[in-house]
Amino acid sequence: MANPLSRARYVLSAHNYRQLPPDQGCEVAFAGRSNAGKSSALNAIAQQNALARVSKTPGRTQQLVFFEVAPFKHMVDLPGYGYAKVPKDLQSHWQQFLDGYFSTRDALQGLVVIMDIRHPLKDYDRQMIDYAAQRGIPAHAVLTKADKLSRGAAANTLQAVRMELSRVYGDTVSVQTFSAESKQGVDEARAVVSHWLDV
């Protein structure tokens, strides 16, 4: 089956509201702490090697980066924090920008939260899922680097994360394991994003 996301191409980076593209069509946002493997996951889902920059320095995404899949259908790479040594004033700018983006962006259809399966559900991850819950859009938690754990350990973590998210958010957040290395879960994640983008 052809991968509709393989047509994705970079169109723009936005550092403030004025730079955002028109609020129409469909968007799926990707969030993840620095070093969670967000760029690798995006590349794997789109079957492209260099769509999102895979950086040796975690936290390089400093803007909302828009990738067009089809006219008015975008994947949006959100800034990753954690390791990023970001000045306080820039952090507060991002906080306000993301608050506004999540609360006002009509095109936003879903949120993919990328988490390292060895360190899931950190404060940032929960904050991002909270954004989606407050907005009433679905979220999909992708537990990356599953190849780093045994199959049993990965299954246990998946079950624990699924139970915790279900307890807090009901059935609005789905969860899966994923590995950009072994391609485990890539088709599943791609199907979720394609469905939300209606491609």
Side-chain angles (χ1 to χ4, degrees), residues 61-75:
T61 309
Q62 301 282 302
Q63 293 120 349
L64 267 66
V65 182
F66 284 75
F67 302 105
E68 185 182 74
V69 175
F72 306 114
K73 295 177 189 283
H74 295 95
M75 296 190 294

Side-chain angles (χ1 to χ4, degrees), residues 96-112:
Q96 291 176 322
F97 191 12
L98 286 176
D99 280 348
Y101 174 76
F102 273 99
S103 59
T104 64
R105 192 75 176 168
D106 289 333
L108 189 59
Q109 301 298 311
L111 171 69
V112 178

Side-chain angles (χ1 to χ4, degrees), residues 83-125:
Y83 289 93
K85 303 289 188 284
V86 180
K88 283 280 181 282
D89 57 344
L90 186 58
Q91 284 193 16
S92 65
H93 164 79
W94 275 115
Q95 193 67 55
Q96 291 176 322
F97 191 12
L98 286 176
D99 280 348
Y101 174 76
F102 273 99
S103 59
T104 64
R105 192 75 176 168
D106 289 333
L108 189 59
Q109 301 298 311
L111 171 69
V112 178
V113 182
I114 307 291
M115 308 179 212
D116 186 327
I117 195 167
R118 299 164 299 178
H119 316 286
L121 294 177
K122 298 292 190 187
D123 289 345
Y124 172 87
D125 305 323

Side-chain angles (χ1 to χ4, degrees), residues 103-179:
S103 59
T104 64
R105 192 75 176 168
D106 289 333
L108 189 59
Q109 301 298 311
L111 171 69
V112 178
V113 182
I114 307 291
M115 308 179 212
D116 186 327
I117 195 167
R118 299 164 299 178
H119 316 286
L121 294 177
K122 298 292 190 187
D123 289 345
Y124 172 87
D125 305 323
R126 294 175 185 272
Q127 178 190 355
M128 289 293 124
I129 296 170
D130 278 343
Y131 274 134
Q134 290 164 12
R135 175 64 194 279
I137 61 171
H140 186 62
V142 173
L143 304 178
T144 61
K145 308 187 185 183
D147 56 289
K148 306 281 191 200
L149 297 182
S150 69
R151 184 169 292 187
N156 289 341
T157 302
L158 174 66
Q159 183 66 15
V161 171
R162 187 173 276 151
M163 286 176 64
E164 170 67 8
L165 290 174
S166 175
R167 182 182 68 78
V168 179
Y169 301 103
D171 61 358
T172 61
V173 185
S174 48
V175 191
Q176 69 162 103
T177 54
F178 184 98
S179 168

